Amino acid sequence: MRSALADEMRCASQALAGLAAGERLDHALELAGREHALAPASRPVVRDLAYHAARTFGLCRELARLLNAREPAPAVAALQWLSLSQLIDPQRHPATIVDQAVRAARADPVTEGAAGFINATLRTFLRDTPQWLERARRSPEARWNHPQWWIDVLQADHPQAWQSIAEFADRHPPLTLRINPRRTDLPTYLDHLQAAGFSARVVGQQAVIVEPACAVQSLPGWAEGWVSVQDEGAQRAAQWLDVQDGHRVLDACAAPGGKSAHLLELFDVRLTALDLKRKRLAQVGEGLARLGLQAKLVCGDAADPARWWTGPRFDRILVDAPCTASGIVRRAPDARWLRRRGDLATLAAAQQRIVEALWPLLEPGGKLLYVTCSVFKAEGPQVIQSFLGRHRDARELALPAGKPQSAVVPGTEPGLQMLPTARPSEDHDGFFYCLIEKLRP
Ligand SMILES: C[S@@+](CC[C@H](N)C(=O)[O-])C[C@H]1O[C@@H](n2cnc3c(N)ncnc32)[C@H](O)[C@@H]1O
């Protein structure tokens, strides 16, 4: 049993108001969910409503700006944006959306007085939808559903591909699984999926997309740790760090632990999983426990190893640095609305500090893999370019899917920029990877 759509819309629009006020959408959804006691079956619906509104936030805000004679109160604005996002999505009947939006407005003392305003503006929009959409889409933020500064950076960094990168953000992300080779293998797990009535397609060495997406608890062997959720692009990290059994490995920005778990599934290594945030580090422990894996969990600042490291050095270091998340916008549609232009330089400086501080912890002959889930050059090639320029004992190595070693020419951009891609046999978010070797003296 689900709650009424009007109640689901109220809850989702409260979360959207949280996003507009600068809260992460998942956190805003959690807070809104606590306030509105909805039926459990309504939770995924509320999430879908809010996520869809976040994906179309630029367009809905511009539509509202054109439709409104004056700016409404934040709670009314959020309900209006949410309703507009539903009206531009042809999945529900427009009359139902308007009716439920008006009910949602009436059900809350804060929005009650604006029920007529909601009704009138939504009906105005419906009277000539193509004209309103055409007018709104003259604004690049509405056309591409990204803030202007983000569009500017995409255009400068990817003059050929920026439009497809921006459009990729509108997509619903698939449910991509990583098969745990300690528990099963790809062909066997595909048989389990088929027997349980799921359709699946293989998109990587250990990566399978299950369609349609479902609650993970209903997947075969979920509780037993046969599979985990992880985008295929993220699965390259453990494959490309060039780890061997017995290595001492540092995962320097580990939470929530997807890449740590993958490393431990593939290799018998002594893994230290470090993260700045204690709460997030606890998620690493929980994830590893489900998979029956173990690591040393350390809460600390990767840019300040003197506070948590006394030796010995590591054979391999994975730096999955904090970033704008510009490569994973289909999974995190709120990131682009929360970030500000100045964040890019701040994050790039933090990434530089982290790689710089961790370099002395790497054994000579060891390897460091730098990763960001970003498509912005300032967070990828530019960080590494400047690092390589400062360290004569560092040299870039070719990645299996990247440039051949002979093609690593001084002066060209280092690393491999994976652009977000959704094809039947290749489906991943956007990532930057660069593997660096520490030369022996
Ligand atoms: C991109 S996420 C890592 C995702 C993770 N590697 C995975 O695969 O599940 C970046 C992480 O870096 C952490 N972080 C941010 N700044 C840090 C710092 N200075 N030192 C250590 N961890 C940091 C964040 O708390 C966040 O958990």
Side-chain angles (χ1 to χ4, degrees):
M1 269 278 287
R2 266 176 54 188
S3 304
L5 179 58
D7 294 330
E8 294 169 343
M9 288 174 73
R10 274 177 70 203
C11 186
S13 70
Q14 186 179 326
L16 195 61
L19 172 63
E23 270 170 39
R24 279 191 313 104
L25 190 54
D26 281 347
H27 181 61
L29 276 165
E30 203 182 305
L31 296 180
R34 273 189 230 150
E35 231 170 87
H36 299 258
L38 299 185
S42 283
R43 277 185 217 139
V45 181
V46 170
R47 190 175 183 280
D48 278 356
L49 288 169
Y51 265 61
H52 181 66
R55 284 194 185 96
T56 55
F57 205 32
L59 177 58
C60 295
R61 281 199 304 198
E62 181 62 10
L63 282 170
R65 198 185 65 76
L66 294 172
L67 285 161
N68 299 345
R70 60 188 160 74
E71 204 173 316
V76 177
L79 180 58
Q80 190 190 32
W81 297 327
L82 188 96
S83 309
L84 286 165
S85 77
Q86 285 301 299
L87 289 177
I88 57 175
D89 178 9
Q91 283 180 34
R92 289 198 177 89
H93 198 282
T96 311
I97 300 301
V98 177
D99 172 62
Q100 296 295 304
V102 171
R103 281 171 198 252
R106 285 202 187 115
D108 188 331
V110 181
T111 51
E112 194 181 9
F117 164 83
I118 292 282
N119 188 35
T121 52
L122 297 184
R123 284 184 193 285
T124 303
F125 174 67
L126 285 178
R127 268 197 293 280
D128 196 354
T129 302
Q131 179 263 141
W132 288 109
L133 288 175
E134 190 275 320
R135 276 182 65 194
R137 285 184 175 133
R138 289 179 203 160
S139 143
E141 290 205 1
R143 165 70 183 84
W144 299 104
N145 277 306
H146 285 74
Q148 186 61 53
W149 74 266
W150 193 292
I151 299 170
D152 294 343
V153 180
L154 281 182
Q155 283 177 336
D157 286 356
H158 303 283
Q160 309 301 325
W162 73 270
Q163 290 169 319
S164 57
I165 298 173
E167 275 165 355
F168 191 84
D170 293 346
R171 289 170 173 269
H172 283 252
L175 175 59
T176 311
L177 303 179
R178 183 188 75 233
I179 311 294
N180 179 359
R182 292 196 187 262
R183 298 283 158 95
T184 182
D185 56 53
L186 191 63
T188 310
Y189 195 70
L190 288 173
D191 288 344
H192 283 297
L193 283 173
Q194 199 184 20
F198 291 99
S199 340
R201 61 189 161 100
V202 176
V203 288
Q205 277 175 28
Q206 295 166 280
V208 170
I209 288 179
V210 175
E211 282 159 335
C214 61
V216 289
Q217 292 77 7
S218 62
L219 291 166
W222 174 260
E224 293 77 24
W226 293 1
V227 285
S228 301
V229 174
Q230 191 176 44
D231 183 80
E232 194 275 326
Q235 296 187 29
R236 311 277 181 107
Q239 292 159 0
W240 285 352
L241 185 54
D242 192 22
V243 173
Q244 288 160 29
D245 288 349
H247 273 163
R248 272 189 306 277
V249 181
L250 171 66
D251 182 356
C253 299
K259 297 181 187 72
S260 280
H262 194 194
L263 282 164
L264 290 164
E265 287 171 0
L266 293 177
F267 308 103
D268 292 319
V269 291
R270 287 164 284 173
L271 182 85
T272 301
L274 175 83
D275 204 276
L276 187 61
K277 301 197 180 133
R278 197 167 291 282
K279 257 191 172 169
R280 285 177 62 81
L281 191 65
Q283 295 177 332
V284 181
E286 288 159 19
L288 294 184
R290 181 180 66 86
L291 297 165
L293 301 167
Q294 281 181 339
K296 180 177 170 192
L297 304 186
V298 179
C299 185
D301 183 351
D304 189 8
R307 300 178 77 92
W308 51 266
W309 180 78
T310 51
R313 287 193 179 123
F314 298 98
D315 302 296
R316 296 289 182 267
I317 297 180
L318 175 63
V319 182
D320 186 13
C323 68
T324 52
S326 63
I328 58 166
V329 273
R330 65 175 177 170
R331 295 189 193 277
D334 55 347
R336 61 194 125 146
W337 305 116
L338 295 172
R339 293 283 179 208
R340 298 289 168 262
R341 186 182 285 268
D343 293 348
L344 185 52
T346 308
L347 282 160
Q351 291 150 6
Q352 294 273 5
R353 275 199 304 277
I354 290 175
V355 188
E356 198 67 45
L358 293 176
W359 191 242
L361 277 60
L362 186 64
E363 192 70 35
K367 292 172 188 171
L368 179 149
L369 184 66
Y370 175 82
V371 189
T372 53
C373 52
S374 177
V375 292
F376 292 157
K377 292 196 175 191
E379 303 186 282
Q382 287 171 12
V383 170
I384 298 303
Q385 190 93 61
S386 125
F387 176 80
L388 292 174
R390 286 192 304 276
H391 292 269
R392 296 178 68 90
D393 61 346
R395 131 180 120 117
E396 183 194 353
L397 295 176
L399 290 164
K403 299 176 271 192
Q405 186 64 57
S406 58
V408 180
V409 182
T412 62
E413 275 185 357
L416 173 71
Q417 180 67 68
M418 293 172 70
L419 294 181
T421 302
R423 289 200 285 263
S425 59
E426 188 188 0
D427 190 308
H428 53 72
D429 291 330
F431 285 87
F432 174 80
Y433 280 99
C434 191
L435 184 63
I436 305 169
E437 181 184 26
K438 187 171 193 174
L439 300 174
R440 293 176 205 277

